[in-house]
Amino acid sequence: MTRSVTTLRPIAAAVALAIVGMGSAWAGDGNATPAEAAYQASPSGIDAAKVMMPDEEGAPAMTREEFDQAKEIYFERCAGCHGVLRKGATGKPLTTDITRERGMDYLKTFITYGSPAGMPNWGTSGQLTDDQIDMMARYVMHEPPVPPEFGLADMKDTWEVFVAPEDRPTEQLNDLDLDNLFSVTLRDAGQIALIDGDSKEIVKVLDTGYAVHISRISASGRYLFVIGRDARVDMIDLWMEEPTTVAEIKVGLEARSVETSKFEGFEDDFAIAGTYWPPQYVIMDGETLEPLKIASTRGMTVGTQEYHPEPRVAAIVASHQHPEFIVNVKETGKVRLVNYENLDALSTVEIDTSRFLHDGGWDSSGRYFMTAANQSNQIVVIDAQDRDLEAIIDVGKTPHPGRGANFVDPEFGPVWATSHLGDNTISLIGTDPEGHPDQAWTVVRTLEGQGGGSLFIKTHPESEHVYVDTALNPDAAISQSVAVYNVDDLEADYQVLPIADWAELGEGPKRVVQPEFNQAGDEVWFSVWNTMDQSSAIVVVDDKTLELKAVIRDERLVTPTGKFNLFNTQHDIY
């Protein structure tokens, strides 16, 4: 039953071998709105019109109109992987010393056919015309234009409180089961849908920033925070008669992460958002989103200790061990433990780890933060209690765990698992240094999956199954299905569930992405993500029988991607 990654057509494969140094694999850049690179890329929230054309010699001629058009395409489709300044991260660097050496024919061929490592085939997929490919090849041979900064005054200009804290209810005024409510990203609509987990009905659709990347719930379970790729943060009060956006702010030009304070005594006091541009994070008031403290992430990389001008903020999680946020700084390979007890004397522990840090989650004990350094093919383990580096573990190619999956291996005890963008394996890492010291912080088991291109792996304490998507695999049969493993018999073959077929949507890419359990752990939901002009759906599977339970269809479900059960998200259950 095990299948390998389907390769591209022979010419594309030959091109990829010749230019392996420029391969790019999209990693969602945080979690939740996946399938970008193979589908609609990794859009930036940067307003391309505000970024000026540099004057230079030695680059191919471009008209102002061509440069402006190429700049917009780059920010929409390429910056998420290669960086605004093209220094590379999930994708390889595209600096002019590299691109000019490669030359026009080389670049055009690469853009047209992509590579098996994850670089989209922009030409053969029809997403870019021949003229646009020629224009983009010339564009990346020019020095990258630099976007403007975004400071406190800029943030305050965008900050709005629609309902003041004193005017909000003191108790829940609706009868929604908030513990089994799902926040679902409607990517291209710039919205989220709140869906009741029992009735499977849409409760409300709310306008948000573009392509919401993640949803996070406050420690109290009252406030829902969402952040778009355009760095807009919306704060939604779930206690009002209808869930309502009560505050909003734009914290930069491009972003992926938001979180709230959860340490005892500081519940709901603060929120934090990290940005891709400018490279920084901001701590905000947890009830109003007023920006309080901005910290830059620019600095030296691990290892070579070279200055990096664009170290973007990837995942952020809230520690339960100390009044701290744990902040992944992607390009420098550093994890920051940011203490919020005194914002006037901000205390930060900076831990050198591995590049390029991306997404991750907690082990089952809630003590160890497990996070992917995806271009180093490693998992970094941070001890949140002792506030130091516990381990760095080699895994498969380009790990992309989402928040990962915690379960008990019948032979090796408690493990945390990640799937991979770059190969078909699933790595199981021992996480019990007291009960299973010989297995702790090592890969105790490697499972074979359907193929590369996985974005998320998921299980639940009440489930006997582990689900692995393969949304970015070039084989439609693989990208439209999921593999399911039996926790009690991991050596057995996985079972394939034809999720997209069950949705019965007709034409379109129909990539299946991000398993998400309900609160009880007896259902798992999948997004069937079609293009904006075609129908999408959410498929609900009975976890006990692995049979279809329901299909949620609604014309308002425009390009659904990330789904977040509020109880599981609030309590870090995965």
Side-chain angles (χ1 to χ4, degrees):
M1 179 172 288
T2 302
R3 288 178 262 183
S4 61
V5 183
T6 300
T7 57
L8 300 176
R9 64 188 67 188
I11 186 171
V15 170
L17 289 173
I19 52 182
V20 65
M22 291 182 63
S24 167
W26 184 81
D29 290 283
N31 269 304
T33 50
E36 290 284 327
Y39 193 5
Q40 292 191 22
S42 297
S44 168
I46 293 173
D47 183 355
K50 294 181 179 179
V51 184
M52 302 306 295
M53 179 178 180
D55 295 324
E56 63 180 299
E57 296 181 358
M62 297 189 77
T63 66
R64 164 63 68 176
E65 183 180 1
E66 285 178 324
F67 189 88
D68 288 344
Q69 183 183 351
K71 181 173 58 178
E72 184 171 355
I73 291 173
Y74 183 85
F75 286 145
E76 288 179 352
R77 299 176 184 265
C78 313
C81 278
H82 298 286
V84 170
L85 303 182
R86 304 188 205 146
K87 296 290 185 179
T90 303
K92 297 296 183 182
L94 293 175
T95 49
T96 55
D97 60 321
I98 297 172
T99 57
R100 291 179 187 178
E101 180 183 354
R102 296 293 193 264
M104 279 293 295
D105 291 342
Y106 178 95
L107 294 170
K108 287 167 62 176
T109 303
F110 190 61
I111 296 169
T112 300
Y113 293 105
S115 82
M119 171 71 178
N121 53 325
W122 297 113
T124 56
S125 68
Q127 296 190 60
L128 292 180
T129 66
D130 290 344
D131 288 343
Q132 287 175 321
I133 290 170
D134 180 89
M135 181 177 65
M136 293 307 298
R138 285 181 283 140
Y139 175 76
V140 296
M141 296 170 76
H142 283 256
E143 292 295 333
V146 180
E149 300 295 318
F150 202 89
L152 183 64
D154 301 299
M155 293 183 194
K156 287 194 170 182
D157 284 345
T158 70
W159 172 49
E160 292 188 74
V161 179
F162 304 113
V163 182
E166 61 269 22
D167 296 329
R168 299 171 195 167
T170 57
E171 60 182 13
Q172 185 178 341
L173 299 183
N174 56 62
D175 58 1
L176 295 175
D177 180 2
L178 298 184
D179 285 342
N180 203 28
L181 195 67
F182 286 77
S183 174
V184 180
T185 295
L186 307 180
R187 178 197 180 278
D188 293 329
Q191 298 173 323
I192 62 162
L194 297 178
I195 302 181
D196 180 76
D198 295 322
S199 69
K200 313 294 188 293
E201 298 291 331
I202 295 178
V203 171
K204 190 168 184 181
V205 173
L206 296 114
D207 292 333
T208 61
Y210 173 69
V212 162
H213 193 67
I214 57 172
S215 298
R216 291 291 179 259
I217 190 74
S218 66
S220 66
R222 171 176 185 169
Y223 293 114
L224 176 66
F225 295 78
V226 299
I227 189 165
R229 291 176 181 265
D230 57 359
R232 171 176 156 182
V233 179
D234 287 277
M235 179 181 177
I236 299 159
D237 188 349
L238 300 173
W239 280 13
M240 300 186 79
E241 291 186 5
E242 288 189 356
T244 302
T245 301
V246 294
E248 176 186 302
I249 191 171
K250 190 171 169 64
V251 294
L253 302 179
E254 183 179 6
R256 296 294 188 276
S257 53
V258 67
E259 181 60 289
T260 69
S261 56
K262 293 182 178 177
F263 186 71
E264 185 177 357
F266 291 88
E267 298 93 335
D268 293 19
D269 283 359
F270 299 107
I272 184 174
T275 50
Y276 269 25
W277 190 270
Q280 61 193 29
Y281 54 88
V282 56
I283 299 175
M284 300 164 284
D285 183 279
E287 287 194 320
T288 67
L289 295 183
E290 178 185 3
L292 303 174
K293 186 74 172 184
I294 303 171
S296 173
T297 56
R298 290 182 171 103
M300 314 310 285
T301 63
V302 297
T304 58
Q305 299 192 47
E306 298 171 288
Y307 177 75
H308 200 294
E310 191 192 353
R312 300 174 289 178
V313 176
I316 301 176
V317 296
S319 174
H320 296 273
Q321 311 292 331
H322 299 280
E324 293 177 338
F325 294 117
I326 302 180
V327 179
N328 273 359
V329 185
K330 184 185 289 281
E331 280 77 6
T332 56
K334 296 183 178 182
V335 174
R336 292 190 181 185
L337 310 182
V338 181
N339 189 292
Y340 46 73
E341 288 180 286
N342 183 354
L343 298 187
D344 293 327
L346 193 67
S347 173
T348 302
V349 173
E350 187 172 82
I351 303 172
D352 287 1
T353 65
S354 183
R355 300 171 72 190
F356 292 84
L357 295 171
H358 187 56
D359 205 359
W362 295 102
D363 80 305
S364 57
S365 73
R367 173 174 175 171
Y368 299 100
F369 176 50
M370 316 280 293
T371 186
N374 51 30
Q375 283 302 304
S376 298
N377 303 325
Q378 293 175 324
I379 295 295
V380 170
V381 184
I382 299 295
D383 184 341
Q385 178 174 302
D386 290 347
R387 307 174 80 215
D388 60 14
L389 176 66
E390 182 71 20
I392 297 178
I393 307 154
D394 292 332
V395 292
K397 183 174 176 55
T398 319
H400 195 282
R403 297 198 126 187
N406 288 299
F407 56 95
V408 178
D409 184 291
E411 182 177 354
F412 302 111
V415 297
W416 178 92
T418 181
S419 53
H420 300 88
L421 272 166
D423 65 35
N424 68 329
T425 65
I426 297 95
S427 297
L428 278 56
I429 297 169
T431 60
D432 184 16
E434 294 186 5
H436 297 78
D438 293 340
Q439 286 78 40
W441 318 130
T442 63
V443 175
V444 298
R445 192 190 297 270
T446 299
L447 304 177
E448 297 292 317
Q450 288 202 87
S454 176
L455 294 177
F456 296 100
I457 181 171
K458 188 62 67 79
T459 189
H460 188 279
E462 299 300 321
S463 174
E464 297 177 352
H465 299 115
V466 177
Y467 297 81
V468 181
D469 70 20
T470 37
L472 296 190
N473 195 282
D475 185 330
I478 297 177
S479 66
Q480 295 180 7
S481 62
V482 298
V484 187
Y485 300 83
N486 187 323
V487 169
D488 296 324
D489 189 9
L490 292 168
E491 294 183 358
D493 284 340
Y494 56 80
Q495 182 172 341
V496 176
L497 302 185
I499 302 297
D501 289 348
W502 286 347
E504 297 182 343
L505 294 177
E507 296 181 354
K510 300 186 295 292
R511 295 183 183 273
V512 173
V513 68
Q514 206 232 5
E516 179 75 357
F517 277 86
N518 64 347
Q519 179 197 6
D522 57 11
E523 291 178 357
V524 59
W525 293 31
F526 298 89
S527 295
V528 185
W529 178 20
N530 230 342
T531 54
M532 193 172 183
D533 58 348
Q534 293 169 317
S535 297
S536 296
I538 293 173
V539 169
V540 181
V541 173
D542 187 315
D543 178 64
K544 303 303 181 185
T545 65
L546 300 183
E547 295 178 351
L548 176 65
K549 186 170 185 178
V551 179
I552 304 174
R553 298 186 187 89
D554 192 297
E555 63 181 9
R556 294 171 290 177
L557 283 178
V558 177
T559 57
T561 52
K563 302 166 301 305
F564 303 87
N565 175 270
L566 299 192
F567 182 88
N568 294 339
T569 302
Q570 178 186 357
H571 297 282
D572 296 307
I573 297 173
Y574 34 78

